Amino acid sequence: MHKRSPVAFILVLFIAISLACNLPMISNTGTTTGTPATEVFTNTPGNPSLTVTSTNPAETPTVTATSTVTPVPPTHTNTPVVIPCNRAQYISDVNYPDDTTMLINTSFTKTWRIKNTGSCTWTSGYKIIFDSGDRMNAPDETTLTSGSVPPEATVDVSVQLKAPGAVGTYRGNFRFRSPDNIVFGIGASGMETCWVQIKTDTLHIVVPLIPILINSPTPTPTLFKLHLLPKITLIFP
């Protein structure tokens, strides 16, 4: 058996170390979590050899993503309210409220107080027109105003009428018309009518009972006679 010279062993060890130093380096990028690679050199006496063990655990990169969401507040858009050009509002009955009793065949003037709630000014071109119901001699149209009625102003509107010749209850409905022939009315819809409603009756003339004292021609004793006049009812057609 030949013994190997210590010089040869040292030479082999030197070569192994040189080879180990020339191994390529591992470049890591990013964020890693792990244990650095470990190299182990093994030398067995009596049989000089070099064992190189390289341990490189799996690299676990850690990536942290940050997302920032900024809430966007809702956008509110103010839509302007469109006011119709022609719109009216009933305020009150100036005269002859509903169910007023009228004599048959009596002429009268009905008047309403009306407010201009539209966006256009009323002029003499605006009319109040008969719409439906009992006409009571109402004309087809009557001038609403002789001047001008701006928006939000009020005006008294009148129509000449005549009570019917029979006893009963009568109602006539009216609307308004603009110069360009747009018919409109009152109420939330802008198309409701204003009206006049009356009750008719005949003329009753009541003569009260009147006591009358008359001297008797007989000198004695003096007597008085009492005459009572009956109730008289006159009916005019």
Side-chain angles (χ1 to χ4, degrees), residues 67-149:
S67 177
T68 302
V69 179
T70 302
V72 179
T75 302
H76 298 282
T77 302
N78 294 326
T79 303
V81 178
V82 179
I83 300 176
C85 174
N86 301 307
R87 185 67 64 90
Q89 178 185 350
Y90 165 82
I91 300 299
S92 64
D93 290 307
V94 177
N95 57 13
Y96 302 106
D98 287 353
D99 297 326
T100 297
T101 300
M102 305 285 297
L103 292 176
I104 57 175
N105 297 321
T106 300
S107 298
F108 64 102
T109 301
K110 170 63 182 179
T111 303
W112 302 268
R113 184 157 294 156
I114 303 296
K115 182 178 181 180
N116 180 1
T117 56
S119 59
C120 296
T121 298
W122 295 346
T123 62
S124 59
Y126 280 78
K127 310 292 181 181
I128 179 170
I129 60 174
F130 175 75
D131 182 79
S132 60
D134 301 305
R135 180 177 286 272
M136 292 181 279
N137 279 24
D140 290 337
E141 64 179 39
T142 302
T143 300
L144 190 147
T145 177
S146 58
S148 62
V149 184

Side-chain angles (χ1 to χ4, degrees), residues 17 19-21 23-25 36-42 51-55:
I17 293 173
L19 292 175
C21 292
L23 291 176
M25 301 297 293
T38 304
E39 295 179 350
V40 180
F41 299 93
T42 304
T51 302
V52 179
T53 303
S54 176
T55 304

